């Protein structure tokens, strides 16, 4: 390893500290060793090590208690802890992992084993830090995209409407509007991803007929460009109690995908019904079908040879439905795909469905 890592050793026996120091001195580590656990914790807050070797049998506080203190400290909790102990029973090993340890080395120590286990955990620690930094960069990147997309989308929409009012309806205007709506849907997905952890859901009673009608109006240009007819079939009208923005992400992503993967001059049927005492919303297309229905809810998933969109929409749908206990059933063939959303009773306004 090129980077110089700091390894903190906490053991009440000085002979163990000397031995471990000798084992590791040729590994280019900066070794800090102490018999005082309280001092080790306090000094770590000022200068955190990259890894801790922690003995279990200690005076005053055992290693499990010390580990608990470290894991409850925001500045220290991510430091990997390897327990070192003469205890070789299953119970001690299980508890070590339950308390947050990443590994367990039994005494007497084998030099190569100690070196290998430390090296492995430091590699894992470094990988986690790299992933964490990448996620931070991704979050910053998404926020920048959202910021940069918002104004151009508004300008495009405003100017197309103005041109259409002056020149009348034209096929080109409809195509521009359809593309703008597609970008708007992507924008809303990205916005949801960056805000979902902090956002507080605003639960309200939503009439699905009115709601679905408004979403069909939104996707009208996208459907018209491919000459797709979208029909709303109401067998049973009912209301659901949800955050309207989250319901919009579920419905919009499903309809958007249905349009993207549908054949020209085909049909999309949207149905509200009660089947077997279950309240359902069903969206059925006559598209190319889905080759693998098991993976479609994974983030960034895209069908082979169909690089359409970012592959985020259905992972967002799954995330929202899981939060509301909404079941999703997907049936697909070469003749099309049907998404069925089954709402739990606690989301249904029974008075509205009478």
């Amino acid at each position: 390893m090129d980077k110089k890592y700091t390894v903190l050793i906490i053991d009440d026996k000085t002979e163990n500290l000397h031995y471990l120091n000798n084992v590791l001195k040729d590994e280019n580590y900066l070794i800090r060793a102490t018999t005082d656990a309280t001092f080790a914790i306090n000094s770590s807050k000022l200068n955190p090590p990259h890894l801790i070797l922690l003995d279990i049998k200690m005076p005053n506080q055992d290693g499990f208690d010390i580990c608990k203190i470290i894991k409850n400290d925001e500045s220290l909790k991510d430091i990997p802890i390897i327990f070192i102990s003469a205890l070789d029973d299953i119970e001690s090993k299980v508890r070590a992992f339950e308390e947050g340890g990443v590994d367990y080395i039994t005494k007497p120590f084998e030099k190569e084993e100690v070196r290998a286990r430390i090296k492995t955990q430091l590699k894992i620690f470094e990988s986690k830090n790299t992933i964490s930094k990448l996620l931070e960069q991704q979050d910053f990147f998404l926020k920048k995209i959202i910021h940069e997309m918002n104004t151009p989308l508004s300008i495009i929409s405003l100017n197309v409407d103005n041109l259409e009012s002056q020149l009348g309806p034209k096929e080109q205007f409809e195509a521009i509007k359809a593309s703008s709506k597609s970008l708007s849907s992507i924008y809303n997905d990205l916005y949801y991803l960056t805000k979902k952890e902090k956002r507080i859901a605003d639960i309200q009673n939503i009439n699905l007929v009115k709601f679905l009608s408004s979403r069909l109006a939104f996707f009208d240009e996208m459907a018209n460009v491919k000459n797709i007819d979208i029909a709303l079939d109401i067998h049973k009208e009912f209301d659901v109690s949800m955050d309207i923005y989250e319901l919009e992400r579920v419905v919009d992503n499903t309809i958007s995908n249905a349009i993207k993967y549908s054949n020209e001059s085909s049909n999309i049927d949207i149905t509200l019904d009660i089947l077997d005492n279950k309240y359902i919303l069903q969206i059925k297309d006559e598209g190319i079908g889905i080759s693998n229905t098991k993976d479609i809810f994974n983030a960034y998933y895209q069908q082979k040879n169909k690089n359409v969109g970012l592959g985020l929409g259905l992972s967002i749908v799954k995330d929202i439905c899981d939060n509301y206990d909404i079941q999703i059933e997907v049936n697909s063939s070469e003749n099309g795909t049907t998404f069925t959303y089954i709402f739990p009773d606690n989301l249904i306004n029974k008075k509205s469905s009478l």
Side-chain angles (χ1 to χ4, degrees):
M1 297 182 184
D2 296 327
K3 181 176 179 179
K4 191 151 189 172
Y5 292 97
T6 299
V7 176
L8 171 63
I9 309 171
I10 307 173
D11 196 311
D12 64 318
K13 292 184 171 55
T14 55
E15 58 268 29
N16 287 336
L17 297 179
H18 290 308
Y19 178 80
L20 289 169
N21 185 64
N22 288 331
V23 168
L24 301 175
K25 67 180 180 180
D26 296 330
E27 295 294 321
N28 197 33
Y29 298 137
L30 178 61
I31 306 298
R32 294 184 353 219
T34 181
T35 58
D36 188 335
T38 302
F39 171 78
I41 292 170
N42 291 332
S43 64
S44 293
K45 292 178 182 179
L46 298 174
N47 187 16
H50 295 98
L51 182 140
I52 298 173
L53 291 176
L54 177 59
D55 186 29
I56 291 179
K57 298 192 75 174
M58 302 271 287
N60 302 322
Q61 289 179 307
D62 64 25
F64 297 132
D65 292 331
I66 296 166
C67 180
K68 194 175 295 183
I69 293 170
I70 293 171
K71 292 301 174 183
N72 286 332
D73 189 292
E74 193 65 30
S75 63
L76 304 177
K77 65 179 184 179
D78 294 326
I79 299 172
I81 296 174
I82 298 178
F83 282 99
I84 51 177
S85 178
L87 301 172
D88 196 23
D89 58 287
I90 295 297
E91 290 79 9
S92 296
K93 292 179 180 179
V94 169
R95 188 180 174 190
F97 288 108
E98 288 177 343
E99 296 294 349
V102 297
D103 206 347
Y104 192 103
I105 304 174
T106 54
K107 303 174 184 177
F109 305 121
E110 294 290 339
K111 292 182 180 180
E112 294 307 316
E113 180 186 7
V114 172
R115 290 171 180 165
R117 288 178 182 267
I118 290 175
K119 193 171 292 186
T120 297
Q121 292 304 327
L122 285 172
K123 284 181 179 178
I124 294 172
F125 176 71
E126 192 63 37
S127 296
K128 286 181 178 179
N129 282 343
T130 300
I131 291 170
S132 178
K133 289 175 183 176
L134 288 173
L135 289 173
E136 286 178 10
Q137 291 173 3
Q138 175 184 277
D139 187 52
F140 174 77
F141 181 64
L142 289 177
K143 287 176 181 176
K144 287 290 289 182
I145 289 177
I146 289 170
H147 178 74
E148 295 299 328
M149 282 178 70
N150 191 27
T151 301
L153 278 172
S154 299
I155 293 172
I156 291 169
S157 179
L158 179 63
N159 281 277
V160 170
D161 288 341
N162 286 338
L163 285 170
E164 192 171 42
S165 65
Q166 295 173 27
L167 304 175
K170 291 184 180 294
E171 188 177 320
Q172 292 89 339
F173 292 155
E174 196 161 71
I176 293 171
K177 284 185 177 181
S179 296
S180 179
K181 295 288 178 68
S182 181
L183 284 174
S184 179
S185 187
I186 293 171
Y187 169 86
N188 285 320
D189 281 344
L190 294 175
Y191 185 84
Y192 171 82
L193 287 173
T194 57
K195 300 293 183 181
K196 71 172 186 175
E197 299 299 332
K198 298 178 181 178
R199 191 174 174 277
I200 299 173
D202 179 18
I203 306 299
Q204 55 187 286
N205 196 59
I206 304 167
N207 180 272
L208 279 180
V209 175
K210 293 180 180 178
F211 175 80
L212 291 170
S213 297
S214 71
R215 300 327 297 158
L216 294 191
F218 177 83
F219 285 104
D220 187 54
E221 290 90 1
M222 287 179 65
N224 287 341
V225 167
K226 296 181 71 173
N227 195 30
I228 293 171
D229 180 55
I230 304 181
L232 184 56
D233 190 6
I234 310 299
H235 292 285
K236 190 67 178 180
E237 183 173 350
F238 57 92
D239 296 0
V240 293
S241 296
M242 288 181 65
D243 179 286
I244 195 166
Y245 178 73
E246 291 178 329
L247 179 60
E248 184 179 290
R249 299 314 327 126
V250 172
V251 171
D252 281 18
N253 275 304
T254 312
I255 294 175
S256 176
N257 277 353
I259 294 172
K260 288 175 186 175
Y261 293 104
S262 282
N263 298 311
E264 299 275 345
S265 303
S266 60
N267 299 297
I268 295 174
D269 295 317
I270 301 177
T271 304
L272 280 182
D273 203 353
I274 300 178
L275 296 176
D276 299 325
N277 294 320
K278 295 179 180 179
Y279 292 79
I280 68 164
L281 164 63
Q282 195 170 77
I283 300 174
K284 180 181 180 182
D285 66 55
E286 297 172 353
I288 60 173
I290 299 171
S291 56
N292 188 346
T293 57
K294 292 182 179 179
D295 295 334
I296 58 173
F297 295 106
N298 296 336
Y300 306 108
Y301 173 81
Q302 292 181 333
Q303 289 207 73
K304 291 181 180 179
N305 305 319
K306 287 288 178 183
N307 296 318
V308 181
L310 299 177
L312 292 172
L314 289 180
S315 69
I316 290 172
V317 168
K318 183 69 163 57
D319 180 64
I320 294 170
C321 287
D322 285 348
N323 286 339
Y324 285 98
D325 291 325
I326 299 171
Q327 296 179 46
I328 310 173
E329 292 181 357
V330 183
N331 293 297
S332 189
S333 71
E334 58 184 14
N335 298 317
T337 300
T338 301
F339 278 78
T340 303
Y341 296 99
I342 305 170
F343 296 93
D345 284 346
N346 64 298
L347 298 187
I348 304 299
N349 184 330
K350 294 297 176 70
K351 290 182 180 179
S352 71
S353 64
L354 295 177

